[in-house]
Amino acid sequence: MDRMTELNKKLLSTSVTGWRIAVSTAALFILCSGSVAAFGYICFTMPKLQCHTSFFYLSVFWLSAEYVVIGYLYFYKNIPKFAREAIVLSIVIANFWLILFVFGLNECTV
């Protein structure tokens, strides 16, 4: 029973050090910006993929939504540990799927 109480305290803890928040925020910004920037680079430098630029413009709006969520994680310290880690994991998985989507694009036939 003591282990469950201890686990509950850890998961609901809102104490996070400032340097950890800053490092994780910077890493998420680099990850998100890098994946969308790579997508833009591929769309605009490869002539056979320029028909997919509308997906790039949608990913820019998606990136701005991720920036809002990352900013929320940075400025608000009252988020429990389990929620903070779940949000970070969701952002990482979403960027992974974006990269898989980019690699799955076919050449334009027009």
Side-chain angles (χ1 to χ4, degrees):
M1 198 63 171
D2 291 336
R3 289 184 182 173
M4 288 300 289
T5 306
E6 182 180 327
L7 179 65
N8 192 13
K9 284 183 183 179
K10 283 183 182 178
L11 290 177
L12 294 176
S13 172
T14 58
S15 64
V16 181
T17 58
W19 66 270
R20 182 174 179 202
I21 290 176
V23 169
S24 66
T25 301
L28 283 174
F29 264 88
I30 291 169
L31 172 74
C32 296
S33 301
S35 61
V36 172
F39 185 27
Y41 178 76
I42 288 171
C43 279
F44 291 114
T45 58
M46 299 180 112
K48 294 182 180 179
L49 291 178
Q50 287 184 351
C51 64
H52 299 298
T53 55
S54 60
F55 291 127
F56 170 70
Y57 296 131
L58 287 174
S59 70
V60 171
F61 288 117
W62 174 66
L63 179 66
S64 63
E66 282 187 331
Y67 282 165
V68 169
V69 172
I70 293 169
Y72 178 80
L73 287 175
Y74 179 74
F75 286 111
Y76 292 102
K77 310 290 191 260
N78 59 352
I79 303 171
K81 182 178 181 177
F82 79 94
R84 182 178 296 275
E85 290 178 357
I87 292 169
V88 168
L89 184 64
S90 297
I91 291 172
V92 170
I93 290 172
N95 282 296
F96 178 72
W97 280 108
L98 175 70
I99 292 168
L100 288 178
F101 172 74
V102 170
F103 282 119
L105 291 176
N106 293 326
E107 295 179 350
C108 301
T109 59
V110 177

